[in-house]
Amino acid sequence: ADGGRAVDGALRDPLEQLLLVHCGLVVDLQRSHQSAFARYLRPFLDLFYSSLMRIVGVLEETDQRVANFGSGINTRSSDQFAIAFLSFLANVVGASKYAELDAANTEVASFFNPSLVRSLSRTLLQLFSIHISPVQISCDDDGYGSDNDAVLWRDDPEAFYHWEASRSSEEDVGCAAQNLFLALAESPFSCEVVLPWLLESLTNMASQRLAVELECGISAGVDARIVSSALPLGVFPAKLSHGADGATTDLILQWDAIYTAAGLAGSILEKCPGFDFRSWFDASLGPCSELLLRQGNRQHAQLPILERRMIWLLSCNAHQVAMSSQFNPLGMVASAISAQNVCVRLTAIDALDALLPHCQDVPSLLHSIVEPTVPALYRLVNECAEVESRSSCLDLLSNLICVQTAGSLTNEILNAVVSPLSAIWDNAIDQNLLLRRSVLAILSCIASLVGPESCSVLYPLALPMIDQSFARDENVFLVGEALKIWWVFLRLSKTYDPLLGKLFVHAVELSKDFENLMILMRVTEHYINLGREDFLNEHAITIQTVLSNVVGEVRPRGTTYIYLVIEALLRSFPVEGGLLLKGCGLLNTLIQACAGNYFENDKCEPDRVIVLYLTALARVLLSKPDSVQLPLKLPSGDLFGEEEMVSLYLVKFQVAGDGAHGLLFQKLWALLLLSFYPPCLLESCCHSVLRKSNSIFNIFIYVLNNAHPNGSNVLSYEVGYDDEEEAVYVGEDIHEALMQEQRTKDIVFSTSLHQAVSAKMNGLHIELCDKYKELFIIENDVLLQLEKVLASWGSPLMLH
């Protein structure tokens, strides 16, 4: 920028910052206005590339062939300039617009020629690892970085792990270099150069082996010239290398960079015809990793750079790893959790977490790593200071338990998992409160693993934790996890346990937060089915309050969950359940909603909700017709009586058939309409159904034609999970047996519709002889169809 002349005095820093602002402006303009910026591409590509090379020391300061301002930049600001230049190059390479503009596409392709791409890629890889090297672009007078991250790693490996994971391409040269490398690897005009070059480097077995042996201390004392000759990226200028005395460090860091590139570009390399990760693992990465982990980096002070990077690389390519490999990648990573360096151990946790989902076909391997891994994880929990580290340990333990098969773990191992949880829970205060969520998740997984026969053993430990999660404000973030483990325990219960039932006192407060609605309604439904009279006697008032809090207050999808409770209540206790709903005013709420829909009032509930409400009312009316008080006068002055209610059932009949349980609803409605024929307690209902007999008889015909003789296609009301992550499938056999028991008590399943229709209609001629005769309107064709359908069921119709 100054023609090579230094700027002295107080102006230097302000001018440098102004220059940096201008560079940032160029980066932003190109990113935001790709097409308009196309005419300026080549000048800025030349300027920024040459300046970058000057900053990192690849281009000599005496080389004036290309304009640049690298030599005039203060070393304290060089990182910021390098990030700007790297970002600009990455944005240009990845700009999809330029592929559509012939001139711009030609400019970019000609600039990023094979020679430049190879040189740039080599330099980028060298920049990957500057954060773990005492050599940095920004240097103090002693030649060492002002923020020496290698010192951070040595002094506080845990802090280094989290710092390294949080790096940003906007603030870190290494991350910005990674972004540019990925852009080159994905670009159609440079990938054919980058990928073969990277694959060639990965196949340099001798150099990899030497780097590993040097890190282990096995090949200590090897001549520096031999080490230098093995450098896969070659010797770099002094600014990016450690000189002859640091050849060992250069070799290790270069392989760290190559492995980093392989991990970042893993999905791209996977598509390369000449590369197979599994074969490369068996030939190179596997034996090298095994050697590093076996030696444990105990013999000298060398940082475990390659040990950590190889474990990280396994996590990047978890889906490509052959678990049956002779090098046992699963066991290898699990053993790294017991390594000396905390950074390596935390990296191993990430890797093992990534590998677990791909181990379902090797249960024996999964089982074999549990016993040594459990104590190693708890040791790490105790050693780490950061809550994120401790939480990741416990989360891995939870996942490790979840992938085990029933009966695969001994009581000794299970006790080793459970024993520390109480202390972790009690000691989790302040920011460590987050660990309580992990404790609940572990207990949930153990309960699922041990099954219904043994899960109650966990009650003394788990139930107080669930209770505290609901009762204390400080634990409000635990409610979701506590609900889930509560639901797991319930599904694994074969009989009602009052100890477990005591938790239901929290349902009232839980129902005030609709985020809890889905699982709370499932829990309540299951309690009713499982506890029956005992549960209802204990918690009737709580059920009333919960339903009052939610009915009419949620969206239609939420109502489908609420109806699980109403259906369970009225199916098991049609009379008592109806009185319970009436006692808290909910029957009136349902009728008002139906009336609003019938008269199409503003903000009325949609049909899918009204169908559920009508089904609930049908169960109540079938068991105790006088529970429903009609007519109901609406604020608009409209009257909703028996006539309107029967009409609404007829209008919504087809809608009621939607969904897997549609035939259940339609059969129930048919039974209700049949019950309104005389003799009937509701006189006005008799009048209404007699006048609408054509439509009602068609409903009978429809249900009889569509229901299988054995009732196999009449399915109970159920609601699927909206999110698989929230799904709980444990205790499926117990749940199904419980539902089957409920079916036997359900009037829909216990009543034969064809027999009921035949009996009612065959006795109807007696009733029609008096005041009802003139009301009965039926077409002969409809009557003949019904007679034919009933005959096919073996129930003759004698109404003529």
Side-chain angles (χ1 to χ4, degrees):
D2 60 354
R5 296 185 300 275
V7 179
D8 298 321
L11 288 178
R12 181 182 183 89
D13 286 345
L15 287 174
E16 198 166 271
Q17 289 304 309
L18 181 60
L19 180 59
L20 184 60
V21 170
H22 279 76
C23 289
L25 179 61
V26 173
V27 173
D28 292 340
L29 283 173
Q30 185 279 326
R31 181 172 53 235
S32 303
H33 306 281
Q34 294 179 7
S35 299
F37 194 87
R39 71 184 71 179
Y40 308 111
L41 275 176
R42 189 57 186 249
F44 279 106
L45 283 171
D46 289 334
L47 178 62
F48 281 9
Y49 175 78
S50 61
S51 299
L52 175 66
M53 294 299 104
R54 176 69 61 84
I55 288 175
V56 301
V58 174
L59 182 65
E60 295 295 334
E61 294 188 6
T62 56
D63 190 342
Q64 299 298 327
R65 290 173 295 175
V66 181
N68 68 83
F69 40 74
S71 60
I73 293 174
N74 190 320
T75 54
R76 291 191 300 273
S77 304
S78 57
D79 279 7
Q80 295 172 289
F81 280 99
I83 291 170
F85 302 152
L86 289 165
S87 299
F88 177 81
L89 295 173
N91 292 338
V92 171
V93 172
S96 57
K97 280 286 185 183
Y98 296 151
E100 304 168 5
L101 304 173
D102 292 340
N105 193 44
T106 302
E107 283 283 12
V108 174
S110 65
F111 179 82
F112 289 100
N113 58 72
S115 175
L116 183 142
V117 169
R118 278 192 296 270
S119 176
L120 178 57
S121 299
R122 177 172 170 267
T123 302
L124 292 175
L125 262 65
Q126 194 71 3
L127 293 176
F128 282 8
S129 291
I130 61 170
H131 66 285
I132 52 175
S133 165
V135 175
Q136 306 234 343
I137 294 178
S138 298
C139 298
D140 292 332
D141 293 338
D142 61 2
Y144 283 80
S146 55
D147 296 315
N148 192 337
D149 306 314
V151 174
L152 176 61
W153 190 345
R154 291 186 190 280
D155 292 347
D156 193 342
E158 183 185 4
F160 173 79
Y161 167 84
H162 289 293
W163 173 85
E164 200 272 342
S166 64
R167 291 190 302 151
S168 163
S169 61
E170 296 179 356
E171 300 174 349
D172 184 88
V173 175
C175 279
Q178 291 174 13
N179 281 356
L180 176 53
F181 178 82
L182 273 178
L184 291 170
E186 294 173 343
S187 173
F189 53 78
S190 56
C191 65
E192 295 183 359
V193 176
V194 174
L195 297 180
W197 172 79
L198 179 58
L199 292 176
E200 182 182 356
S201 300
L202 289 171
T203 56
N204 190 340
M205 306 299 184
S207 178
Q208 291 179 66
R209 183 74 180 191
L210 179 58
V212 168
E213 291 179 354
L214 288 170
E215 182 169 305
C216 290
I218 295 176
S219 298
V222 175
D223 189 280
R225 289 172 295 181
I226 297 176
V227 177
S228 295
S229 67
L231 292 172
L233 303 180
V235 179
F236 272 78
K239 206 167 190 179
L240 290 179
S241 71
H242 295 76
D245 294 335
T248 294
T249 302
D250 283 343
L251 180 62
I252 290 172
L253 291 178
Q254 286 191 16
W255 274 108
D256 175 71
I258 292 172
Y259 290 146
T260 301
L264 294 173
S267 60
I268 306 172
L269 289 175
E270 189 178 353
K271 301 172 185 176
C272 291
F275 181 73
D276 177 67
F277 184 86
R278 294 187 176 192
S279 301
W280 180 69
F281 176 83
D282 287 337
S284 179
L285 189 64
C288 288
S289 300
E290 184 182 56
L291 177 60
L292 281 168
L293 292 168
R294 187 171 66 244
Q295 293 297 318
N297 197 36
R298 296 184 178 88
Q299 303 303 317
H300 57 102
Q302 176 69 49
L303 286 172
I305 294 172
L306 294 181
E307 182 178 353
R308 181 188 72 123
R309 185 59 65 193
M310 288 179 175
I311 295 170
W312 173 85
L313 184 55
L314 278 175
S315 68
C316 294
N317 295 274
H319 64 290
Q320 297 185 68
V321 176
M323 297 302 164
S324 56
S325 168
Q326 60 176 318
F327 295 103
N328 185 12
L330 191 66
M332 185 185 297
V333 172
S335 68
I337 298 176
S338 299
Q340 284 189 331
N341 191 277
V342 171
C343 182
V344 172
R345 294 159 73 183
L346 291 172
T347 304
I349 285 175
D350 295 336
L352 189 55
D353 219 15
L355 290 172
L356 285 180
H358 307 285
C359 298
Q360 301 296 337
D361 296 332
V362 284
S364 59
L365 287 178
L366 282 171
H367 173 60
S368 67
I369 67 171
V370 175
E371 188 170 2
T373 302
V374 170
L377 287 172
Y378 279 131
R379 283 195 299 272
L380 189 53
V381 168
N382 292 330
E383 293 175 28
C384 288
E386 298 291 334
V387 65
E388 292 86 353
S389 305
R390 306 179 76 196
S391 181
S392 66
C393 295
L394 296 177
D395 290 345
L396 173 60
L397 182 55
S398 173
N399 294 337
L400 186 58
I401 299 300
C402 284
V403 297
Q404 302 297 320
T405 54
S408 61
L409 301 184
T410 64
N411 289 336
E412 290 74 16
I413 294 177
L414 290 171
N415 286 334
V417 175
V418 172
S419 296
L421 296 179
S422 179
I424 293 174
W425 179 276
D426 292 338
N427 295 325
I429 58 176
D430 299 329
Q431 64 173 359
N432 285 301
L433 277 171
L434 292 171
L435 300 181
R436 291 185 173 183
R437 182 187 288 133
S438 301
V439 170
L440 292 174
I442 292 171
L443 287 171
S444 179
C445 290
I446 294 174
S448 302
L449 182 66
V450 300
E453 305 303 330
S454 303
C455 70
S456 59
V457 175
L458 297 170
Y459 284 4
L461 175 64
L463 297 192
M465 293 180 180
I466 298 172
D467 184 74
Q468 290 177 37
S469 300
F470 296 149
R472 296 183 182 178
D473 291 341
E474 66 182 18
N475 292 330
V476 64
F477 67 96
L478 296 175
V479 168
E481 197 66 48
L483 277 168
K484 185 174 181 180
I485 186 174
W486 186 15
W487 179 220
V488 167
F489 278 137
L490 264 180
R491 283 184 63 98
L492 292 172
S493 301
K494 292 183 177 180
T495 57
Y496 176 64
D497 187 334
L499 188 63
L500 193 59
K502 288 181 179 180
L503 291 173
F504 196 70
V505 297
H506 297 292
V508 172
E509 284 301 315
L510 291 171
S511 66
K512 295 177 182 178
D513 184 350
F514 296 151
E515 290 291 325
N516 306 323
L517 182 73
M518 182 271 287
I519 195 164
L520 181 61
M521 293 300 104
R522 291 187 189 278
V523 164
T524 307
E525 176 208 21
H526 203 84
Y527 265 127
I528 293 170
N529 292 335
L530 188 67
R532 296 188 55 75
E533 292 86 354
D534 291 341
F535 176 74
L536 198 62
N537 290 334
E538 291 176 19
H539 298 288
I541 295 177
T542 303
I543 294 172
Q544 286 181 317
T545 308
V546 167
L547 290 176
S548 297
N549 285 343
V550 297
V551 171
E553 301 296 331
V554 298
R555 294 179 179 179
R557 181 59 178 172
T559 304
T560 63
Y561 290 112
I562 296 170
Y563 190 71
L564 286 170
V565 177
I566 296 174
E567 176 79 350
L569 187 64
L570 297 177
R571 182 178 57 222
S572 298
F573 308 100
V575 175
E576 298 86 347
L579 293 174
L580 184 148
L581 296 179
K582 183 177 181 180
C584 62
L586 283 179
L587 276 187
N588 194 53
T589 299
L590 303 187
I591 296 170
Q592 284 181 334
C594 292
N597 181 277
Y598 178 83
F599 291 110
E600 299 181 345
N601 292 344
D602 293 339
K603 298 182 180 179
C604 66
E605 295 282 10
D607 285 354
R608 59 188 292 199
V609 171
I610 296 304
V611 163
L612 298 176
Y613 289 176
L614 286 172
T615 304
L617 291 172
R619 288 194 178 276
V620 174
L621 287 165
L622 275 170
S623 60
K624 191 171 174 52
D626 58 352
S627 295
V628 177
Q629 301 298 319
L630 293 175
L632 175 72
K633 187 173 183 179
L634 299 181
S636 60
D638 294 317
L639 284 178
F640 184 79
E642 288 86 349
E643 180 79 17
E644 289 76 19
M645 182 176 66
V646 170
S647 297
L648 192 58
Y649 275 109
L650 297 180
V651 170
K652 306 301 180 186
F653 179 78
Q654 290 302 323
V655 180
D658 294 343
H661 50 263
L663 205 51
L664 172 84
F665 286 5
Q666 289 177 321
K667 182 179 177 182
L668 179 64
W669 290 18
L671 289 171
L672 174 66
L673 294 170
L674 180 65
S675 73
F676 288 158
Y677 279 91
C680 173
L681 292 177
L682 301 177
E683 185 76 12
S684 55
C685 284
C686 292
H687 295 181
S688 183
V689 295
L690 287 169
R691 286 192 294 267
K692 296 177 173 61
S693 288
N694 280 316
S695 297
I696 294 173
F697 277 33
N698 277 320
I699 285 176
F700 297 155
I701 293 167
Y702 177 87
V703 176
L704 290 170
N705 276 333
N706 285 277
H708 294 168
N710 61 1
S712 60
N713 64 335
V714 180
L715 304 178
S716 296
Y717 178 76
E718 293 184 322
V719 182
Y721 289 97
D722 293 335
D723 188 345
E724 274 301 308
E725 291 185 2
E726 298 175 349
V728 175
Y729 297 115
V730 297
E732 195 67 31
D733 293 343
I734 299 173
H735 178 72
E736 183 55 38
L738 192 61
M739 292 305 298
Q740 186 60 42
E741 180 185 350
Q742 298 306 308
R743 290 186 191 102
T744 62
K745 301 169 183 176
D746 189 344
I747 189 173
V748 180
F749 293 96
S750 61
T751 302
S752 170
L753 180 62
H754 63 89
Q755 292 177 356
V757 171
S758 179
K760 192 80 168 183
M761 293 299 109
N762 288 335
L764 187 59
H765 67 282
I766 299 174
E767 304 292 339
L768 293 178
C769 292
D770 53 23
K771 57 182 177 179
Y772 295 118
K773 186 173 183 179
E774 68 278 7
L775 298 173
F776 185 57
I777 303 172
I778 186 71
E779 294 177 3
N780 193 51
D781 288 345
V782 175
L783 193 60
L784 290 174
Q785 286 184 55
L786 180 60
E787 184 177 22
K788 182 179 178 181
V789 172
L790 289 173
S792 70
W793 283 82
S795 299
L797 180 65
M798 295 180 291
L799 180 62
H800 294 286

